[in-house]
């Protein structure tokens, strides 16, 4: 079980206490207690700082033979076949995850058998060849003893390789599908034993070498029939392996087939280059098997060589694919591309000037097009807040013309483009140096997996030789890897990195500029970076780089186009009669362009206000008054939005804004659905009542309407998605809104309407209420592990409140335990098994650090899940209370763990 009398001890198989390191530590961030809002993430911090224990048994495969003799290598068409035995261990290592069901372990056994089959094919083929050579040498002048030592070593290697074959568990499907291969392996061991016995009998022994040699020669004549018998048996085994592999690779229920398909599927889902090659190698192997089967009697040696070589290629390629997946997964982090996806696409036809031959304003030192085709170093896109820098960087990164122009610079080398969009309001990784470097390496390794061994050899070897460990990379590792990337010349490739928002980096800005400058010391790397025109960037990027533009000086025509298409072409605006007005409609649109000063966000807000006026049937003169009454700066505009909010809403406005400001990631809309019920006791007293999809949809829609009414345009809320506990999300309109709300004046105004508000206490109650509403469907809950993560976040908030010096109400934790126990009782064992089984693909789409959290949840007995979480977090007051109230705690694992071997 996960925990018992104390957090450092557990029971072994015999019921004895054994020492065991805690798998979680209390959340260590003191700042997180007061400022963080770790929705769906609190477990990340604690999980990263611990050593997760794999609760499921690993498949033990140790085929590491001695060095093979020269005769073996001479006959091999690929020296890499020597690594087959070691290599197959890595094919399934990507699946050795606590989240995978034992079906995956059976698949690992099947793939291990495939690798072992490759070794056996090699041995049988070369053993038969050497026996033929031995027979020939027997009839030659030099005698029959020349090849004995080599053959004996091969036989010994076969014994070692076959000794560790994993036998399928009784009753499993793989026993039927792979039983033929296992039978052949047993017969191979028998042949190997007999070969060793024959060779040992033929070896020259004793002190009288000449007499012994004469006796040995006489024996060899008598043993020739035995050798011929062994040759025939080896030929039969060779054909048997071929037929068995053919049946397994063609069988629809074959676990070998299923596992290779799964590995290919993950390669495709992760968009790793080489998926087509994996598919082709598998087809080529099957084709080689069929060819060998058809032509077996005609030329067995040639056809066996053909399918043997294809098998070796198949094993090696899948080993490398699994190792590649393991390394790339270790680089991924939560919301890695969320910031880029959240940035609005450029308005139609805007920013097209960036691909012109020459800059259209003297402020640009050189055109971006020239820099793409032949420039080097860092191209700096400077711009005022709200001028559209992030939109432009996204536009450049995703536009096909960018890659086309970079190919001219690459001069025949492959072009790799990678990006990172810093976000000061996001997670730690989204605004850190580690996040930047991880994003770049993730893209590079995904597009050119062959770079991994050269750029990160330590990670490559670790993934090959150990159980998959997705421990996040350290900054030192990341810098070292990029340092090796700068120096590598094995693969002809050039890199262009797009880095947005240097001013949103949470650290020393001089340091992040130095990181970029280190990258461009390689002639094969250049960087396009954007930021506000702060002095630190002006001194380092503005004066030292020939590539630079000031965005607000170049977007006048883009702004004019936007105003024309969104305002001037609006039917209500077109219907306005300005014949008798003092100002024309065109003058209004031109005034907007003039007043914008290149700040696109200001234009968007102004146009939005004028369109509202059109809804009120404003005339041209009224629109003019409205335009000139609006603040000319973004800060003034945000203050106007805040002042416009209805007085009756302002307390909840402050609550919502504080929650969004303190969130470490976009806040799910559902978290804001319970503001009226906060601190009323409703969270504990309300009944457990699962809601259906329609009820959840209606609740989300009502909450969305309320949020928009209370926060105007300061926030953006998307339409409800498929999982109402995750989507839609609530985000600030722009980074400048966050800057404004954090000013002393805005904070004072918000606190005036809300003197005290504990975001952690509110979030605990909101999560508790959501747990009571969760639908019972296993597919719905497990699709995001939402039930697991809710518990983890509940414990985070409870523990952080406790640590802050305010005693947490333990009854609220008891209520969480009651909810989970009710859900366990309401669902059948088959439902829970289905939930767990559906997690098969989950870790490949989610941060790997969540795996221990999921294991802890499913391994905990019903009624002890909150208790076990409290143990891991170190919430001693609650743990002591539960032990006093329930002396029978720590009984053992959940039945699911006990059933794992049979899943």
């Amino acid at each position: 079980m996960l925990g018992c009398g104390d957090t450092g001890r557990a029971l072994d198989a015999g019921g004895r206490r054994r020492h065991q390191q805690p798998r979680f530590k209390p959340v260590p961030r003191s700042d997180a207690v007061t400022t963080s809002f770790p929705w769906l993430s609190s477990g990340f911090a604690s999980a990263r700082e611990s050593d997760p224990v794999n609760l499921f048994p690993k498949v033990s495969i140790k085929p590491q033979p001695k060095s093979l003799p020269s005769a073996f290598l001479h006959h091999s068409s690929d020296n890499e076949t020597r690594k087959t035995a070691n290599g197959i261990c890595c094919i399934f290592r990507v699946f050795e995850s606590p989240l995978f069901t034992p079906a995956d372990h059976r698949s690992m056994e099947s793939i291990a058998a495939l690798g072992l089959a490759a070794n056996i094919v090699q041995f049988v083929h070369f053993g038969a060849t050497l026996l033929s050579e031995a027979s020939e040498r027997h009839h030659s002048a030099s005698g029959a003893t020349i090849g004995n030592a080599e053959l004996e070593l091969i036989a010994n290697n076969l014994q070692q390789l076959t000794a560790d074959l994993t036998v399928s568990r009784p009753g499993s499907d793989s026993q039927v599908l792979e039983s033929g291969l296992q039978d052949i392996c047993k017969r191979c061991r028998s042949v190997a034993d007999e070969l060793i016995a024959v060779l040992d009998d033929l070896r020259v022994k004793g002190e009288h070498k000449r007499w012994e040699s004469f006796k040995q020669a006489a024996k060899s004549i008598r043993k020739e029939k035995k050798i011929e018998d062994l040759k025939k048996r080896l030929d039969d085994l060779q054909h048997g392996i071929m037929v068995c592999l053919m049946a397994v690779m063609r069988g629809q229920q074959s676990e070998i087939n299923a596992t290779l398909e799964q590995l290919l599927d993950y390669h495709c889902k992760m968009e790793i280059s080489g998926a087509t090659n994996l598919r082709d190698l598998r087809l080529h192997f099957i084709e080689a098997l069929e060819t060998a089967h058809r032509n077996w009697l005609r030329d067995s040696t040639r056809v066996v060589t053909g399918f043997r070589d294809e098998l070796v290629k198949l094993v090696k390629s899948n080993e490398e694919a699994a190792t590649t997946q393991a390394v790339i997964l270790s680089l991924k982090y939560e919301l890695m591309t969320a910031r880029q996806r959240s940035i609005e696409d450029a308005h139609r036809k805007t920013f097209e000037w960036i691909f012109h031959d020459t800059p259209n304003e003297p402020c640009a030192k050189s055109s971006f097009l020239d820099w793409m085709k032949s420039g080097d170093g860092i191209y700096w896109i400077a711009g005022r807040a709200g001028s559209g820098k992030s939109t432009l960087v996204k536009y450049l990164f995703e536009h096909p013309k960018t890659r086309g122009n970079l190919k001219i610079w690459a001069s025949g080398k492959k072009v790799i483009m990678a990006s990172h969009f810093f976000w000061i309001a996001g997670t730690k990784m989204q605004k850190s140096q580690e996040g930047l470097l991880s994003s770049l390496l993730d893209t590079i390794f995904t597009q050119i997996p062959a770079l991994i061994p050269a750029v990160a050899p330590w990670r490559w070897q670790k993934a090959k030789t150990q159980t998959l460990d997705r421990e996040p990379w350290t900054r030192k590792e990341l810098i070292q890897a990029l340092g090796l990337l700068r120096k590598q010349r094995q693969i002809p490739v050039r890199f262009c990195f797009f880095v947005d928002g240097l001013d949103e980096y949470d650290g020393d800005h001089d340091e992040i500029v130095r990181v970029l400058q280190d990258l461009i010391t390689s002639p094969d790397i250049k960087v396009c970076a954007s930021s506000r025109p702060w002095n630190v960037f002006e001194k380092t990027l503005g004066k030292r780089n020939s590539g630079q533009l000031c965005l607000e000086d170049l977007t006048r025509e883009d702004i004019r186009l936007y105003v024309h298409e969104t305002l001037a072409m609006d039917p209500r605006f077109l219907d306005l009669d300005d014949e008798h007005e003092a100002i024309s409609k065109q003058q209004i649109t031109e005034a907007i362009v003039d007043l914008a000063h290149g700040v696109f966000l200001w234009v968007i807000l102004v146009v939005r206000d004028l369109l509202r006026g059109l809804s009120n049937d404003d005339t041209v003169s009224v629109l003019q008054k409205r335009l000139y009454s609006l603040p000319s700066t973004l800060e003034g505009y945000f203050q106007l939005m805040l002042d416009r909010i209805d007085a009756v809403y302002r307390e909840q406005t402050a609550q919502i804004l504080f929650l969004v400001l303190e969130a470490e990631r976009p806040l799910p809309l559902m978290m804001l659905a319970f503001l009226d019920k906060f601190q009323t006791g409703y969270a504990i007293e309300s009944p457990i009542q699962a809601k259906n999809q329609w009820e959840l949809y209606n609740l989300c829609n009502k909450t969305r309407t309320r949020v928009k009414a209370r926060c105007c345009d300061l926030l953006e809320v998307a339409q409800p998605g498929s999982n109402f506990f995750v989507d839609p999300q609530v985000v600030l309109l722009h980074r400048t809104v966050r800057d404004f709300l954090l000013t002393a004046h805005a904070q004072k105004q918000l606190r005036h309407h809300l003197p005290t508000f504990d975001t952690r206490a509110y979030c605990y109650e909101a999560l508790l209420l959501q747990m009571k509403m969760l639908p019972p469907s296993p597919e719905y809950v497990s699709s995001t592990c939402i039930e697991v993560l809710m518990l983890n976040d509940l414990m985070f908030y409870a523990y952080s409140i406790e640590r802050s010096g305010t005693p947490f109400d333990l009854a609220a934790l008891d209520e969480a335990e009651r909810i989970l126990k009710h859900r366990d009782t309401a669902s059948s064992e088959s439902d829970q098994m289905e939930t767990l089984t559906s997690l098969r693909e989950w870790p490949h789409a989610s941060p790997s650090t969540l795996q221990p959290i999921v294991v802890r949840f499913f391994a905990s007995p019903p009624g002890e899940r909150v208790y076990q979480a409290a143990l891991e977090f170190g919430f001693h007051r609650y743990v002591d209370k539960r032990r006093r109230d329930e002396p029978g705690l720590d009984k053992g694992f959940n039945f699911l763990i006990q059933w794992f071997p049979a899943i």
Side-chain angles (χ1 to χ4, degrees):
M1 62 189 179
L2 285 176
C4 36
D6 57 79
T7 58
R9 305 189 69 80
L11 295 178
D12 62 19
R16 298 176 298 273
R17 296 277 183 178
R18 59 176 171 81
H19 183 72
Q20 177 177 304
Q21 292 297 326
R23 287 171 291 283
F24 282 74
K25 296 180 181 179
V27 179
R29 301 171 296 168
S30 59
D31 60 324
V33 174
T34 55
T35 62
S36 71
F37 184 92
W39 169 248
L40 299 185
S41 78
S42 57
F44 292 95
S46 55
R48 288 195 187 104
E49 297 185 2
S50 61
D51 297 321
V53 173
N54 191 338
L55 298 179
F56 309 137
K58 302 180 181 67
V59 178
S60 177
I61 308 267
K62 308 173 186 175
Q64 298 177 356
K66 303 173 185 177
S67 298
L68 297 178
S70 58
F72 185 98
L73 300 181
H74 172 73
H75 288 282
S76 174
S77 62
D78 184 358
N79 285 351
E80 288 300 317
T81 57
R82 294 173 299 173
K83 302 178 182 178
T84 304
N86 291 327
I88 193 63
C89 300
C90 297
I91 287 185
F92 58 77
R93 197 157 281 129
V94 72
F95 307 113
E96 283 192 325
S97 159
L99 294 186
F100 285 101
T101 69
D104 296 291
H105 288 277
R106 295 200 305 272
S107 299
M108 289 187 272
E109 294 168 357
S110 299
I111 289 205
L114 179 62
L116 191 53
N119 285 316
I120 293 170
V121 168
Q122 299 261 18
F123 167 79
V124 173
H125 177 64
F126 297 123
T129 302
L130 287 175
L131 279 172
S132 297
E133 290 181 358
S135 180
E136 292 173 4
R137 292 170 183 175
H138 165 67
H139 295 290
S140 71
S142 58
T145 62
I146 297 175
N148 289 345
E150 293 177 336
L151 189 57
E152 180 180 1
L153 184 53
I154 293 177
N156 281 321
N157 279 321
L158 175 62
Q159 280 189 321
Q160 185 172 357
L161 289 172
T162 56
D164 289 314
L165 178 65
T166 300
V167 180
S168 297
R169 286 184 293 272
S172 67
D173 294 337
S174 64
Q175 186 177 20
V176 178
L177 291 169
E178 280 83 28
S179 60
L181 181 58
Q182 293 176 12
D183 178 63
I184 290 173
C185 290
K186 293 175 184 177
R187 292 163 62 190
C188 283
R189 283 197 289 268
S190 175
V191 171
D193 291 339
E194 293 184 45
L195 273 174
I196 292 173
V198 170
L199 294 170
D200 186 64
D201 199 26
L202 291 176
R203 186 181 297 116
V204 175
K205 303 175 183 178
E207 297 179 359
H208 305 288
K209 298 292 184 182
R210 297 182 65 178
W211 170 247
E212 291 296 331
S213 183
F214 174 79
K215 288 169 59 180
Q216 189 267 351
K219 283 184 179 181
S220 67
I221 295 173
R222 296 194 302 269
K223 294 291 183 182
E224 185 173 358
K225 184 177 180 181
K226 180 68 174 177
I227 291 175
E228 289 298 324
D229 177 64
L230 289 173
K231 282 174 56 181
K232 183 179 183 304
R233 288 167 64 187
L234 285 173
D235 285 341
D236 291 342
L237 290 172
Q238 199 170 57
H239 185 248
I241 290 175
M242 180 187 67
V243 173
C244 180
L245 285 174
M246 215 173 132
V248 168
M249 294 300 293
R250 282 297 189 186
Q252 293 183 353
Q253 301 300 319
S254 168
E255 289 176 0
I256 286 178
N257 230 351
T259 306
L260 292 178
E261 187 65 36
Q262 187 180 52
L263 192 59
L264 173 62
D265 185 47
Y266 289 144
H267 231 58
C268 294
K269 285 181 178 179
M270 296 170 67
E271 299 181 350
I272 300 174
S273 176
T276 302
N277 185 51
L278 282 179
R279 184 183 293 105
D280 290 345
L281 283 172
R282 186 174 163 198
L283 295 175
H284 291 162
F285 173 58
I286 295 174
E287 183 180 346
L289 274 175
E290 294 174 341
T291 301
H293 187 256
R294 287 194 304 268
N295 302 320
W296 172 254
L297 296 177
R298 235 176 284 167
D299 187 357
S300 62
T301 300
R302 184 180 62 82
V303 298
V304 168
T305 301
F307 96 80
R308 179 203 65 199
D309 292 345
E310 291 299 330
L311 175 58
V312 170
K313 290 178 185 177
L314 181 69
V315 171
K316 182 185 175 186
S317 63
N318 279 275
E319 169 200 338
E320 292 178 349
T323 308
T324 296
Q325 290 179 11
V327 174
I328 293 176
L329 283 169
S330 68
L331 283 166
K332 293 189 180 297
Y333 57 88
E334 184 196 17
L335 302 177
M336 179 178 261
T337 60
R339 172 56 178 160
Q340 180 175 339
R341 295 196 309 269
S342 69
I343 297 170
E344 290 287 339
D345 292 334
H347 188 73
R348 190 175 65 90
K349 293 185 178 181
T350 58
F351 293 139
E352 290 183 353
W353 50 265
I354 195 74
F355 293 111
H356 293 170
D357 289 330
T358 56
N360 58 359
E361 292 290 343
C363 71
K365 294 183 179 180
S366 68
S367 75
F368 186 76
L369 183 64
D370 290 340
W371 179 82
M372 284 191 294
K373 290 181 176 180
S374 59
D376 56 17
I378 301 175
Y379 194 97
W380 181 37
I381 297 175
R384 297 170 58 186
S387 59
K389 300 181 296 297
S390 297
T391 304
L392 175 58
V393 174
K394 179 179 179 180
Y395 173 83
L396 290 171
F397 181 71
E398 297 179 353
H399 202 291
K401 285 186 178 180
T402 303
R403 181 176 294 277
N405 288 307
L406 287 173
K407 285 182 178 179
I408 299 174
W409 165 68
S411 302
K413 294 182 178 180
K414 185 178 179 66
V415 174
I416 298 297
M417 296 165 54
S419 67
H420 181 74
F421 289 72
F422 282 110
W423 195 15
I424 192 63
T427 65
K428 180 180 178 181
M429 290 294 285
Q430 289 176 306
K431 53 189 174 184
S432 68
Q433 188 178 141
E434 290 85 350
L436 164 67
L437 302 182
S438 295
S439 296
L440 299 182
L441 286 175
D442 172 74
T443 302
I444 292 168
F445 291 165
T446 297
Q447 296 189 38
I448 309 185
L451 278 173
I452 301 177
V455 171
W458 62 94
R459 283 278 178 167
W460 181 261
Q461 290 302 320
K462 188 175 184 180
K464 288 182 68 174
T465 59
Q466 298 178 21
T467 300
L468 178 58
D469 182 2
R470 299 179 198 169
E471 180 183 355
W473 291 44
T474 63
R475 182 184 299 190
K476 181 179 178 181
E477 281 186 290
L478 293 165
I479 292 175
Q480 184 179 353
L482 282 163
L484 292 174
L485 180 72
R486 295 199 308 268
K487 299 174 184 176
Q488 84 83 27
R489 297 294 182 269
Q490 301 173 4
I491 298 176
V493 59
R494 284 193 151 183
F495 305 92
C496 184
F497 300 144
F498 292 79
V499 183
D500 175 59
L502 296 181
D503 49 292
E504 300 200 44
Y505 169 66
D506 187 18
D508 185 348
H509 292 100
D510 280 319
E511 179 183 29
I512 200 64
V513 171
R514 284 195 297 271
V515 169
L516 299 183
Q517 290 173 336
D518 286 342
L519 289 174
I520 63 171
T521 56
S522 167
D524 292 326
I525 299 176
K526 59 183 177 182
V527 178
C528 172
S530 74
S531 74
R532 296 182 186 181
W534 291 355
N535 289 338
V536 61
F537 303 121
E538 184 65 44
K539 291 178 181 178
T540 53
L541 300 178
K543 296 181 179 179
R544 300 179 187 177
N545 294 283
S546 58
Q548 176 186 345
L549 63 82
C550 184
L551 186 56
E552 59 264 27
D553 294 333
L554 301 172
T555 54
R556 182 178 179 86
E557 291 306 313
D558 290 337
I559 291 173
R560 179 178 282 111
L561 176 64
Y562 177 82
V563 173
H564 174 75
E565 293 194 349
T566 57
L567 177 64
M569 297 304 294
D570 186 281
R572 296 167 297 179
F573 192 82
L574 291 172
D575 288 343
L576 288 177
D577 181 10
D578 60 355
E579 183 177 353
H580 303 291
E581 298 280 358
I583 186 174
S584 68
K585 292 185 288 187
Q586 184 178 358
Q587 286 176 308
I588 289 182
T589 58
E590 283 300 311
I592 296 172
V593 176
D594 293 336
L595 294 171
H597 301 295
V599 181
F600 228 115
L601 178 59
W602 183 88
V603 176
I604 292 172
L605 296 174
V606 166
V607 169
R608 195 177 292 177
D609 258 329
L610 295 181
L611 290 174
R612 289 193 185 104
L614 289 175
S615 297
N616 298 330
D617 288 331
D618 284 357
T619 62
V620 173
S621 58
V622 174
L623 286 176
Q624 179 190 25
K625 292 178 182 178
R626 184 183 291 273
L627 171 63
Y628 285 103
S629 70
L630 296 174
S632 59
T633 65
L634 287 177
E635 292 78 7
Y637 220 116
F638 300 147
Q639 183 61 57
L640 176 64
M641 291 179 181
L642 207 55
D643 294 339
R644 283 175 174 174
I645 295 170
D646 195 322
V648 74
Y649 294 150
R650 289 181 182 175
E651 179 180 351
Q652 289 192 353
T653 297
Q655 289 177 326
I656 294 170
L657 292 177
F658 277 128
L659 286 167
V660 174
L661 281 173
E662 294 187 12
E664 290 190 355
R665 60 204 30 78
L667 188 72
L669 178 63
M670 188 67 79
M671 288 291 287
L672 303 177
F674 314 102
L675 292 171
D676 291 330
K677 298 176 174 63
F678 180 48
Q679 291 183 333
T680 63
Y682 181 78
I684 294 179
E685 296 170 3
S686 64
I688 301 173
Q689 188 172 5
K691 293 187 179 295
N692 59 39
Q693 292 289 89
W694 180 248
E695 291 173 319
L696 292 172
Y697 177 81
N698 284 337
L699 179 60
C700 268
N701 263 342
K702 289 180 180 179
T703 305
R704 185 172 182 269
T705 301
R706 290 166 184 163
V707 169
K708 290 176 69 70
R710 285 151 180 78
C711 297
C712 294
D713 292 328
L714 294 170
L715 297 179
E716 288 190 332
V717 185
Q719 292 291 338
S722 58
N723 189 324
F724 302 109
F725 298 98
V726 177
D727 298 312
Q729 296 171 338
V730 181
V731 294
L732 293 168
L733 173 68
H734 191 263
R735 185 257 172 100
T736 49
V737 176
R738 181 179 183 274
D739 294 342
F740 164 74
L741 293 175
L742 291 177
T743 62
H745 176 74
Q747 287 284 304
K748 181 180 179 180
Q749 185 174 356
L750 293 175
R751 286 295 177 191
H752 174 73
H753 301 293
L754 189 68
T756 60
F757 180 61
D758 190 334
T759 57
R760 299 161 304 176
Y762 171 79
C763 288
Y764 186 95
E765 291 194 11
L767 285 168
L768 203 62
L769 287 166
Q770 289 178 73
M771 287 180 73
K772 293 184 175 184
M773 296 161 44
L774 276 175
S777 167
E779 296 87 354
Y780 185 88
V781 174
S782 64
S783 63
T784 56
C785 283
I786 192 68
E787 188 178 22
V788 182
L789 298 176
M790 279 184 178
L791 171 59
N792 202 67
D793 282 350
L794 278 172
M795 187 54 61
F796 172 85
Y797 292 122
Y799 180 70
S800 59
I801 292 171
E802 181 83 1
R803 284 203 332 177
S804 68
T806 304
F808 185 78
D809 183 7
L810 301 185
L813 287 173
D814 287 338
E815 181 67 5
E817 192 79 274
R818 185 180 76 88
I819 297 169
L820 292 175
K821 188 173 182 179
H822 172 84
R823 291 182 61 79
D824 282 331
T825 303
S827 60
S828 64
E829 291 184 0
S830 60
D831 286 339
Q832 295 184 49
M833 298 278 282
E834 182 181 351
T835 297
L836 189 62
T837 303
S838 65
L839 296 173
R840 177 185 298 264
E841 298 180 4
W842 181 73
H844 290 269
S846 304
S848 57
T849 45
L850 286 177
Q851 295 175 20
I853 304 172
V854 180
V855 174
R856 181 193 69 202
F857 184 89
F858 284 108
S860 301
E864 293 187 23
R865 288 177 171 169
V866 175
Y867 167 73
Q868 294 289 356
L871 271 174
E872 304 294 357
F873 270 87
F875 199 152
H876 300 300
R877 192 163 68 90
Y878 182 71
V879 170
D880 293 342
K881 171 192 176 296
R882 288 291 299 272
R883 286 176 176 166
R884 287 194 306 270
D885 296 345
E886 304 171 54
L889 285 174
D890 307 323
K891 294 178 181 177
F893 284 128
N894 186 346
F895 78 93
L896 286 172
I897 299 299
Q898 301 168 8
W899 276 34
F900 273 136
I903 294 180

